[in-house]
Amino acid sequence: MIHYKSKAEIELMRESCMLVSKTLAHVAGMIKAGVTTLYLNDLADEFIRDHKALPSFKGYHGFPFACCISVNDAVVHGFPTQDELKDGDMVSVDVGVFLNGFHGDSAYTFAIGEVGPEIRKLLKVTKESLYMGIEKAVHGNRVGDIAYAIQDHTERKHGYGVVRDLVGHGLGRDLHEEPQVPNFGKRGTGAKLKEGMVIAIEPMINLGTKDIYHDKDGWTIRTADGKPAAHFEHDIAIRKGPADILSSFSAIEEAEKANPNLTYSY
Ligand code: MG
Ligand code: MG
């Protein structure tokens, strides 16, 4: 069942989503070679609690951390660890917060130090595909229109692998609500997009094969061929006309550009 949100509820959700964005910007300023992903997780956890919210992921189906932090061949759901990040790594940070009774959920992938053109392009194209999906997220369209736009740009145009096993989702009082929002599909198919729907659109795009496997930690999803994967996620509210993007990359991108230890992906 799809839970449609009132305008007042969407404003509450905007606060949850913006706190996620601020958390990601805070983390972005601290990413560098030599820090551990557990350290980044703890920074985010503390930041969220300092803002009188709770990290949505902690305890979700038993997930033990505030963030999913996925490095290189880890696509999503990565376990923060004591391993130090290195120059040339790419790291996806996925954060959820619960505030005012609603969840926000957004993710961003960073490149540490000097990364090759292949990785820069993967990051650029994945982020572009997210906005192309958002362009189709308007009242009267269908979920398949979003899905097609993302797949067309990443897989058909650039030859990347679109993960089939994981999808975007509705968002609200629950972290994962109906409908599912895949990153692959046919135009004109799937749930109809209607004013008041809030969805998380989150392309998970692999440099190589679309195939993935579950790491033995039970959570981390990795690419089958060991090549890197990128992940960007926004929360949006459907309305008549262009979607209302409730999360924001502005502060994250500013922090990314200001951090000399990161390569800006554009
Ligand atoms: Mg997420
Ligand atoms: Mg999500």
Side-chain angles (χ1 to χ4, degrees):
M1 186 181 135
I2 295 173
H3 297 284
Y4 297 91
K5 279 80 182 178
S6 68
K7 287 202 163 67
E9 287 173 326
I10 288 171
E11 289 317 308
L12 289 175
M13 290 198 71
R14 192 186 310 279
E15 289 181 31
S16 312
C17 299
M18 281 308 297
L19 179 55
V20 176
S21 302
K22 283 183 203 156
T23 307
L24 286 170
H26 177 64
V27 171
M30 309 301 279
I31 301 175
K32 61 178 179 183
V35 305
T36 69
T37 52
L38 195 57
Y39 169 75
L40 299 177
N41 173 79
D42 294 348
L43 276 179
D45 198 344
E46 193 183 345
F47 189 86
I48 293 165
R49 290 173 198 281
D50 283 350
H51 287 79
K52 311 222 173 320
L54 289 172
S56 304
F57 300 167
K58 206 168 197 170
Y60 186 80
H61 293 286
F63 189 79
F65 300 101
C67 312
C68 299
I69 304 187
S70 308
V71 182
N72 296 333
D73 68 315
V75 185
V76 286
H77 303 169
F79 255 30
T81 69
Q82 294 281 14
D83 296 339
E84 289 180 3
L85 292 167
K86 307 180 300 296
D87 265 350
D89 280 346
M90 53 187 277
V91 57
S92 145
V93 185
D94 192 349
V95 170
V97 310
F98 187 69
L99 177 70
N100 298 328
F102 290 96
H103 293 276
D105 177 17
S106 176
Y108 199 94
T109 306
F110 302 93
I112 302 172
E114 288 301 314
V115 296
E118 241 186 354
I119 300 256
R120 293 170 74 134
K121 189 176 155 209
L122 175 66
L123 292 173
K124 178 176 183 285
V125 169
T126 303
K127 197 196 270 186
E128 282 170 358
S129 78
L130 169 58
Y131 287 104
M132 288 173 176
I134 291 172
E135 249 176 61
K136 300 294 175 191
V138 294
H139 178 90
N141 274 0
R142 289 182 181 272
V143 163
D145 296 316
I146 301 171
Y148 178 88
I150 294 170
Q151 185 181 19
D152 189 52
H153 189 58
T154 55
E155 200 167 83
R156 274 180 284 272
K157 191 161 168 218
H158 288 285
Y160 296 143
V162 176
V163 175
R164 301 298 200 272
D165 308 67
L166 299 147
V167 295
H169 50 91
L171 183 75
R173 294 195 183 277
D174 288 317
L175 181 60
H176 294 124
E177 297 186 353
E178 292 292 308
Q180 293 199 337
V181 183
N183 301 304
F184 54 92
K186 291 195 173 71
R187 284 177 283 196
T189 64
K192 203 158 191 180
L193 301 172
K194 287 188 194 159
E195 193 162 26
M197 280 172 74
V198 177
I199 55 173
I201 303 178
E202 49 179 317
M204 290 159 260
I205 308 299
N206 300 346
L207 184 64
T209 177
K210 65 186 189 321
D211 298 330
I212 51 98
Y213 70 95
H214 285 79
D215 190 287
K216 57 182 182 309
D217 66 24
W219 279 97
T220 308
I221 306 282
R222 295 187 186 278
T223 59
D225 59 7
K227 291 187 179 173
H231 178 215
F232 289 89
E233 177 178 25
H234 264 318
D235 304 324
I236 62 126
I238 304 291
R239 57 186 178 185
K240 289 170 182 146
D244 185 2
I245 306 178
L246 304 179
S247 45
S248 168
F249 287 163
S250 300
I252 303 167
E253 288 169 346
E254 271 173 42
E256 187 184 28
K257 285 177 194 162
N259 183 339
N261 306 295
L262 296 178
T263 298
Y264 186 55
S265 49
Y266 270 52

PDB file of all heavy atoms in Angstrom, residues 57 94 105-106 167-169 171 175-176 200-202 231 233 235, ligand 2:
ATOM      1  N   PHE A  57      19.206   3.406  10.235  1.00  0.00           N
ATOM      2  CA  PHE A  57      19.692   2.074   9.851  1.00  0.00           C
ATOM      3  C   PHE A  57      20.067   1.224  11.058  1.00  0.00           C
ATOM      4  O   PHE A  57      20.024   0.004  11.001  1.00  0.00           O
ATOM      5  CB  PHE A  57      20.929   2.179   8.939  1.00  0.00           C
ATOM      6  CG  PHE A  57      20.714   2.931   7.649  1.00  0.00           C
ATOM      7  CD1 PHE A  57      21.797   3.322   6.874  1.00  0.00           C
ATOM      8  CD2 PHE A  57      19.437   3.242   7.198  1.00  0.00           C
ATOM      9  CE1 PHE A  57      21.612   4.010   5.680  1.00  0.00           C
ATOM     10  CE2 PHE A  57      19.234   3.935   6.006  1.00  0.00           C
ATOM     11  CZ  PHE A  57      20.342   4.326   5.246  1.00  0.00           C
ATOM     12  N   ASP A  94      25.915   6.003   2.854  1.00  0.00           N
ATOM     13  CA  ASP A  94      24.454   5.983   2.805  1.00  0.00           C
ATOM     14  C   ASP A  94      23.950   6.206   4.230  1.00  0.00           C
ATOM     15  O   ASP A  94      24.325   5.470   5.140  1.00  0.00           O
ATOM     16  CB  ASP A  94      23.999   4.621   2.262  1.00  0.00           C
ATOM     17  CG  ASP A  94      22.526   4.576   1.889  1.00  0.00           C
ATOM     18  OD1 ASP A  94      21.782   5.518   2.224  1.00  0.00           O
ATOM     19  OD2 ASP A  94      22.118   3.571   1.260  1.00  0.00           O
ATOM     20  N   ASP A 105      16.640   9.517   3.766  1.00  0.00           N
ATOM     21  CA  ASP A 105      17.547   8.444   3.324  1.00  0.00           C
ATOM     22  C   ASP A 105      18.260   8.918   2.062  1.00  0.00           C
ATOM     23  O   ASP A 105      17.623   9.095   1.022  1.00  0.00           O
ATOM     24  CB  ASP A 105      16.688   7.200   3.037  1.00  0.00           C
ATOM     25  CG  ASP A 105      17.475   6.030   2.494  1.00  0.00           C
ATOM     26  OD1 ASP A 105      18.716   6.016   2.616  1.00  0.00           O
ATOM     27  OD2 ASP A 105      16.829   5.099   1.947  1.00  0.00           O
ATOM     28  N   SER A 106      19.565   9.163   2.174  1.00  0.00           N
ATOM     29  CA  SER A 106      20.278   9.671   1.004  1.00  0.00           C
ATOM     30  C   SER A 106      21.708   9.145   1.009  1.00  0.00           C
ATOM     31  O   SER A 106      22.254   8.814   2.064  1.00  0.00           O
ATOM     32  CB  SER A 106      20.256  11.201   1.026  1.00  0.00           C
ATOM     33  OG  SER A 106      21.006  11.751  -0.027  1.00  0.00           O
ATOM     34  N   VAL A 167      16.727  -1.996  -5.174  1.00  0.00           N
ATOM     35  CA  VAL A 167      15.938  -0.947  -5.826  1.00  0.00           C
ATOM     36  C   VAL A 167      15.686   0.217  -4.871  1.00  0.00           C
ATOM     37  O   VAL A 167      15.853   0.076  -3.654  1.00  0.00           O
ATOM     38  CB  VAL A 167      14.575  -1.521  -6.305  1.00  0.00           C
ATOM     39  CG1 VAL A 167      14.777  -2.573  -7.383  1.00  0.00           C
ATOM     40  CG2 VAL A 167      13.772  -2.097  -5.144  1.00  0.00           C
ATOM     41  N   GLY A 168      15.254   1.357  -5.431  1.00  0.00           N
ATOM     42  CA  GLY A 168      14.777   2.458  -4.611  1.00  0.00           C
ATOM     43  C   GLY A 168      13.394   2.115  -4.062  1.00  0.00           C
ATOM     44  O   GLY A 168      12.863   1.031  -4.314  1.00  0.00           O
ATOM     45  N   HIS A 169      12.792   3.079  -3.368  1.00  0.00           N
ATOM     46  CA  HIS A 169      11.620   2.719  -2.559  1.00  0.00           C
ATOM     47  C   HIS A 169      10.837   3.942  -2.123  1.00  0.00           C
ATOM     48  O   HIS A 169      11.382   5.056  -2.081  1.00  0.00           O
ATOM     49  CB  HIS A 169      12.108   1.968  -1.314  1.00  0.00           C
ATOM     50  CG  HIS A 169      13.211   2.691  -0.587  1.00  0.00           C
ATOM     51  ND1 HIS A 169      12.973   3.579   0.428  1.00  0.00           N
ATOM     52  CD2 HIS A 169      14.561   2.703  -0.777  1.00  0.00           C
ATOM     53  CE1 HIS A 169      14.134   4.092   0.844  1.00  0.00           C
ATOM     54  NE2 HIS A 169      15.118   3.586   0.124  1.00  0.00           N
ATOM     55  N   LEU A 171       9.139   6.156   0.888  1.00  0.00           N
ATOM     56  CA  LEU A 171       9.780   6.581   2.141  1.00  0.00           C
ATOM     57  C   LEU A 171       8.751   7.353   2.955  1.00  0.00           C
ATOM     58  O   LEU A 171       7.945   8.089   2.393  1.00  0.00           O
ATOM     59  CB  LEU A 171      10.959   7.489   1.771  1.00  0.00           C
ATOM     60  CG  LEU A 171      11.850   8.033   2.858  1.00  0.00           C
ATOM     61  CD1 LEU A 171      12.772   6.937   3.370  1.00  0.00           C
ATOM     62  CD2 LEU A 171      12.703   9.187   2.316  1.00  0.00           C
ATOM     63  N   LEU A 175      11.071   3.227   6.747  1.00  0.00           N
ATOM     64  CA  LEU A 175      12.246   3.478   5.907  1.00  0.00           C
ATOM     65  C   LEU A 175      12.017   2.963   4.486  1.00  0.00           C
ATOM     66  O   LEU A 175      12.467   3.568   3.518  1.00  0.00           O
ATOM     67  CB  LEU A 175      13.469   2.806   6.546  1.00  0.00           C
ATOM     68  CG  LEU A 175      14.804   2.956   5.845  1.00  0.00           C
ATOM     69  CD1 LEU A 175      15.211   4.417   5.714  1.00  0.00           C
ATOM     70  CD2 LEU A 175      15.890   2.185   6.605  1.00  0.00           C
ATOM     71  N   HIS A 176      11.358   1.832   4.380  1.00  0.00           N
ATOM     72  CA  HIS A 176      11.068   1.261   3.061  1.00  0.00           C
ATOM     73  C   HIS A 176       9.572   1.058   2.936  1.00  0.00           C
ATOM     74  O   HIS A 176       8.990   0.241   3.625  1.00  0.00           O
ATOM     75  CB  HIS A 176      11.814  -0.070   2.861  1.00  0.00           C
ATOM     76  CG  HIS A 176      13.306   0.119   2.819  1.00  0.00           C
ATOM     77  ND1 HIS A 176      14.170  -0.541   3.651  1.00  0.00           N
ATOM     78  CD2 HIS A 176      14.073   0.900   2.041  1.00  0.00           C
ATOM     79  CE1 HIS A 176      15.413  -0.164   3.388  1.00  0.00           C
ATOM     80  NE2 HIS A 176      15.385   0.714   2.414  1.00  0.00           N
ATOM     81  N   ALA A 200      12.488   7.391  -2.619  1.00  0.00           N
ATOM     82  CA  ALA A 200      13.951   7.479  -2.677  1.00  0.00           C
ATOM     83  C   ALA A 200      14.373   6.869  -4.007  1.00  0.00           C
ATOM     84  O   ALA A 200      14.059   5.705  -4.287  1.00  0.00           O
ATOM     85  CB  ALA A 200      14.573   6.717  -1.515  1.00  0.00           C
ATOM     86  N   ILE A 201      15.046   7.666  -4.821  1.00  0.00           N
ATOM     87  CA  ILE A 201      15.578   7.184  -6.102  1.00  0.00           C
ATOM     88  C   ILE A 201      17.069   6.990  -5.894  1.00  0.00           C
ATOM     89  O   ILE A 201      17.752   7.907  -5.419  1.00  0.00           O
ATOM     90  CB  ILE A 201      15.305   8.202  -7.233  1.00  0.00           C
ATOM     91  CG1 ILE A 201      13.794   8.477  -7.334  1.00  0.00           C
ATOM     92  CG2 ILE A 201      15.856   7.687  -8.562  1.00  0.00           C
ATOM     93  CD1 ILE A 201      13.430   9.512  -8.399  1.00  0.00           C
ATOM     94  N   GLU A 202      17.576   5.793  -6.199  1.00  0.00           N
ATOM     95  CA  GLU A 202      18.968   5.501  -5.837  1.00  0.00           C
ATOM     96  C   GLU A 202      19.664   4.565  -6.818  1.00  0.00           C
ATOM     97  O   GLU A 202      19.773   3.372  -6.579  1.00  0.00           O
ATOM     98  CB  GLU A 202      19.055   4.952  -4.418  1.00  0.00           C
ATOM     99  CG  GLU A 202      18.121   3.826  -4.055  1.00  0.00           C
ATOM    100  CD  GLU A 202      18.351   3.371  -2.597  1.00  0.00           C
ATOM    101  OE1 GLU A 202      19.512   3.247  -2.185  1.00  0.00           O
ATOM    102  OE2 GLU A 202      17.366   3.130  -1.892  1.00  0.00           O
ATOM    103  N   HIS A 231      26.957   4.881  -6.095  1.00  0.00           N
ATOM    104  CA  HIS A 231      25.601   4.945  -5.533  1.00  0.00           C
ATOM    105  C   HIS A 231      25.297   6.381  -5.121  1.00  0.00           C
ATOM    106  O   HIS A 231      26.022   6.962  -4.301  1.00  0.00           O
ATOM    107  CB  HIS A 231      25.556   4.008  -4.306  1.00  0.00           C
ATOM    108  CG  HIS A 231      24.242   3.980  -3.585  1.00  0.00           C
ATOM    109  ND1 HIS A 231      24.163   3.847  -2.216  1.00  0.00           N
ATOM    110  CD2 HIS A 231      22.967   4.058  -4.028  1.00  0.00           C
ATOM    111  CE1 HIS A 231      22.884   3.827  -1.858  1.00  0.00           C
ATOM    112  NE2 HIS A 231      22.146   3.955  -2.929  1.00  0.00           N
ATOM    113  N   GLU A 233      21.787   8.829  -4.015  1.00  0.00           N
ATOM    114  CA  GLU A 233      20.366   8.692  -3.641  1.00  0.00           C
ATOM    115  C   GLU A 233      19.788  10.033  -3.189  1.00  0.00           C
ATOM    116  O   GLU A 233      20.379  10.723  -2.368  1.00  0.00           O
ATOM    117  CB  GLU A 233      20.241   7.679  -2.491  1.00  0.00           C
ATOM    118  CG  GLU A 233      18.828   7.501  -1.956  1.00  0.00           C
ATOM    119  CD  GLU A 233      18.741   6.440  -0.854  1.00  0.00           C
ATOM    120  OE1 GLU A 233      19.757   6.192  -0.175  1.00  0.00           O
ATOM    121  OE2 GLU A 233      17.647   5.874  -0.682  1.00  0.00           O
ATOM    122  N   ASP A 235      15.852  11.860  -2.022  1.00  0.00           N
ATOM    123  CA  ASP A 235      14.448  11.666  -1.649  1.00  0.00           C
ATOM    124  C   ASP A 235      13.642  12.765  -2.327  1.00  0.00           C
ATOM    125  O   ASP A 235      14.009  13.950  -2.236  1.00  0.00           O
ATOM    126  CB  ASP A 235      14.268  11.794  -0.133  1.00  0.00           C
ATOM    127  CG  ASP A 235      15.160  10.822   0.625  1.00  0.00           C
ATOM    128  OD1 ASP A 235      15.355   9.694   0.127  1.00  0.00           O
ATOM    129  OD2 ASP A 235      15.661  11.192   1.702  1.00  0.00           O
TER     130      ASP A 235
HETATM  131 MG    MG B   2      17.239   4.027   0.186  1.00  0.00          MG
END
